[in-house]
Amino acid sequence: MLNKIKILTFTLALTTNISLCQAVLPEDFIYLDEFDSTIRTSLRYVGNDNFIGKPIDGYKSSRVILTEKAAKALSEAQSYFKKDGYSIVVYDGYRPQVAVNHFMEWSKKPEDKKMKAEFYPRVDKADVFKLGYVAEKSGHSRGSTVDISLIPIDKELHAIKPEPRKLKGDFEIIFLNDGTINMGSSFDLFDEASHYENNLITEEQQNLRKYLKEGMEKFGFKNYAEEWWHFTLKDEPFPQTHFNFPVE
């Protein structure tokens, strides 16, 4: 009997330790890869490939988190794009408020221009909130917003290759080539060239943006006009709640 008690105690302890190692998400939130493992991800705020140039507070894992409702809609969009030979690539999903606070603190340090050439060549970093590129209360923190692009199914994401590209009017930007299709500007470029509609990109690039936008709209997402990559589920489950649990 004593041995059985010891075994039971050990089993309970082991189960407890395992559970402590696993992140417990709020109700109605899930890991995207557990819902649809075919959707590719490149969570930029976990590492250095972002407009601040270092890992962002609150991002402890490269796994994308979304509300279950948003994940289901995104999976349906994935099936739609796959028929044309593309896969969705997610750059960001749920974003904790502590990460947004990190962005705010960064904007108050004018001397830090480490990533200016790549992400905001024509914008004063102090104006990124006023111009709508970053918000003090982000839709991402509600769990049903995604930043995405598309990649051909037969291609792989690769390490970023900075490439100079000229916009119409001869202004040059740095295009961060990661293997996704060329939408005319890279994810998180704070510039007019990233607005869904503008006169700085080619007709082909505008058509690709239209294809992405119209495809996402079929499954209940709406685009943010200043960022071609940014989509929010129209009927999101937490329209007034901004969460602050970590991505881990």
Side-chain angles (χ1 to χ4, degrees), residues 69-70 73 142 144-145 213-214 216-223 231-239:
K69 190 172 185 179
R142 302 194 300 264
S144 297
T145 293
K213 178 175 178 287
E214 291 182 350
M216 291 295 284
E217 287 175 344
K218 291 178 185 292
F219 303 97
F221 290 92
K222 59 183 177 181
N223 174 247
F231 295 90
T232 299
L233 192 66
K234 291 179 184 178
D235 190 19
E236 57 182 312
F238 302 107

Side-chain angles (χ1 to χ4, degrees), residues 18-42:
I18 290 173
S19 64
L20 289 174
C21 293
Q22 296 174 337
V24 178
L25 300 180
E27 187 176 359
D28 296 325
F29 281 80
I30 61 172
Y31 289 105
L32 179 61
D33 59 2
E34 292 182 351
F35 193 89
D36 189 336
S37 61
T38 71
I39 298 174
R40 305 187 199 181
T41 60
S42 179

Side-chain angles (χ1 to χ4, degrees), residues 140-184:
H140 282 277
S141 300
R142 302 194 300 264
S144 297
T145 293
V146 288
D147 293 331
I148 67 170
S149 188
L150 298 173
I151 189 170
I153 288 177
D154 60 351
K155 302 289 184 182
E156 296 293 332
L157 284 166
H158 56 66
I160 287 175
K161 299 176 182 177
E163 299 172 355
R165 298 280 177 86
K166 280 194 175 182
L167 301 172
K168 290 181 180 179
D170 280 343
F171 184 80
E172 190 171 271
I173 62 172
I174 296 176
F175 184 78
L176 304 179
N177 184 352
D178 61 355
T180 55
I181 62 178
N182 184 359
M183 295 281 194

Side-chain angles (χ1 to χ4, degrees), residues 127-135 190 195 224-227 230:
D127 294 333
V128 296
F129 286 90
K130 180 177 69 177
L131 294 173
Y133 296 116
V134 184
F190 302 156
H195 296 185
Y224 176 55
E226 275 69 30
E227 298 174 345
H230 181 115

Side-chain angles (χ1 to χ4, degrees), residues 56-89:
I56 305 303
D57 293 349
Y59 285 85
K60 302 177 181 181
S61 165
S62 59
R63 297 179 74 189
V64 174
I65 297 171
L66 288 172
T67 63
E68 185 171 358
K69 190 172 185 179
K72 182 178 184 297
L74 193 68
S75 179
E76 291 172 348
Q78 170 77 341
S79 296
Y80 170 81
F81 290 123
K82 282 174 68 176
K83 291 177 182 178
D84 290 333
Y86 296 106
S87 171
I88 292 172
V89 176

Side-chain angles (χ1 to χ4, degrees), residues 200-211:
L200 301 173
I201 61 176
T202 67
E203 182 179 357
E204 179 183 2
Q205 292 160 353
Q206 187 61 63
N207 286 338
L208 287 171
R209 293 184 184 190
K210 182 179 180 182
Y211 168 70

